Amino acid sequence: MKIALCGPPQSGKSVLRERLKRAIRTLAPDVYPYVLTTNPDGEGSWFQETYQRDPELANQLKAAAKQKWTPARAELYASWVRNTTVPLTFLDLGGIPDDYNRQICSAATHAILLAPTEDQWVLWREFCASCGLVILAELISRLDDLEDSILDAGDPFRATIHRLKRGDLETERPAVEALASYILNKV
C-alpha cells in the first residue's frame, strides 16, 4: 500500500505520519512503514523527533532544507513512489491538490484525508478520485480538542484527532492507534 496523506497546509499531516509510524511499529514490530516526504517544505522524516528535542534547531534545519517546487522535483518524488517496493509506504504530500501532487500520487494506491473541517475533505476527495486513490480514512484534526473520537470504524475509517502538535509525540492518541490497526488489517 502506498498511502498519500492529504489535506490543507498545517492540518497535522507530518505529525500524523510520525504518530502512525510509531503506532504501527508498536502494534506490529515486524512491519516497517516507510515514509516518503514528497514536498519541498524542508520538513523531512527527521523533523518531528528533532523538534521534540530542540524546536529552534529543527526550524533552522527545515529552513535550510526548504526548496522550490519544480517539475523536475515533482518527477523525482513521483519516481520514488513508483519505485518503492516496501509493503507499507506513507507519502507526506504538500497541502495543495495541484498537478505536482497529482503526478506524485499517480503511483500511489490509497489516501488518508486530514483537515480541520469536513468541508475541506471535498476538494481532497475530488483530488483522490482524479488520481484513482482509494480513501482509507477521513480525519478531522482539532488542535484544541481534549480527546479523540472514532466516528466510524468502517470503510472509510472516520475519526477526530486532537492536538496533532509538533513535538508532542508521547501523548496517547486512541484514534491514531485505531487507524494504525485498521491499516494493518488491510496490508
Side-chain angles (χ1 to χ4, degrees), residues 11-83:
S11 56
K13 294 182 300 292
S14 296
V15 178
L16 175 65
R17 171 197 76 200
E18 186 62 26
R19 287 188 159 282
L20 274 173
K21 182 178 173 182
R22 288 174 176 227
I24 288 167
R25 295 287 293 147
T26 298
L27 292 169
D30 57 324
V31 175
Y32 186 84
Y34 189 59
V35 172
L36 293 172
T37 301
T38 57
N39 67 71
D41 68 356
E43 198 169 304
S45 59
W46 52 269
F47 183 78
Q48 295 302 322
E49 286 187 36
T50 305
Y51 190 92
Q52 190 174 22
R53 288 191 307 272
D54 189 339
E56 185 177 329
L57 174 62
N59 285 325
Q60 288 172 357
L61 294 171
K62 177 182 173 178
K66 187 172 184 166
Q67 299 181 26
K68 293 184 188 264
W69 267 121
T70 64
R73 182 157 306 287
E75 176 50 36
L76 174 65
Y77 296 157
S79 74
W80 293 350
V81 178
R82 281 191 304 274
N83 295 324

Side-chain angles (χ1 to χ4, degrees), residues 145-160:
D145 275 9
L146 299 177
E147 61 186 8
D148 292 358
S149 100
I150 297 169
L151 306 173
D152 184 348
D155 292 319
F157 180 95
R158 288 190 176 95
T160 64

Side-chain angles (χ1 to χ4, degrees), residues 139-180:
L139 309 172
I140 297 171
S141 175
R142 295 187 176 146
L143 191 58
D144 296 326
D145 275 9
L146 299 177
E147 61 186 8
D148 292 358
S149 100
I150 297 169
L151 306 173
D152 184 348
D155 292 319
F157 180 95
R158 288 190 176 95
T160 64
I161 296 181
H162 76 293
R163 296 191 55 80
L164 289 176
K165 186 176 177 185
R166 288 186 171 106
D168 181 7
L169 297 174
E170 305 307 322
T171 310
E172 286 186 27
R173 297 293 188 275
V176 174
E177 293 163 15
L179 177 57

Side-chain angles (χ1 to χ4, degrees), residues 71-168:
R73 182 157 306 287
E75 176 50 36
L76 174 65
Y77 296 157
S79 74
W80 293 350
V81 178
R82 281 191 304 274
N83 295 324
T84 187
T85 58
V86 179
L88 180 57
T89 301
F90 289 106
L91 316 176
D92 190 357
L93 290 183
I96 308 295
D98 59 14
D99 287 338
Y100 289 141
N101 281 324
R102 194 168 282 105
Q103 180 179 357
I104 292 163
C105 287
S106 66
T109 58
H110 295 81
I112 294 172
L113 308 186
L114 179 68
T117 67
E118 288 184 37
D119 293 347
Q120 292 171 307
W121 291 341
V122 174
L123 185 61
W124 287 99
R125 284 177 182 149
E126 292 169 2
F127 172 83
C128 290
S130 75
C131 295
L133 302 178
V134 174
I135 296 174
L136 288 176
E138 296 178 325
L139 309 172
I140 297 171
S141 175
R142 295 187 176 146
L143 191 58
D144 296 326
D145 275 9
L146 299 177
E147 61 186 8
D148 292 358
S149 100
I150 297 169
L151 306 173
D152 184 348
D155 292 319
F157 180 95
R158 288 190 176 95
T160 64
I161 296 181
H162 76 293
R163 296 191 55 80
L164 289 176
K165 186 176 177 185
R166 288 186 171 106
D168 181 7

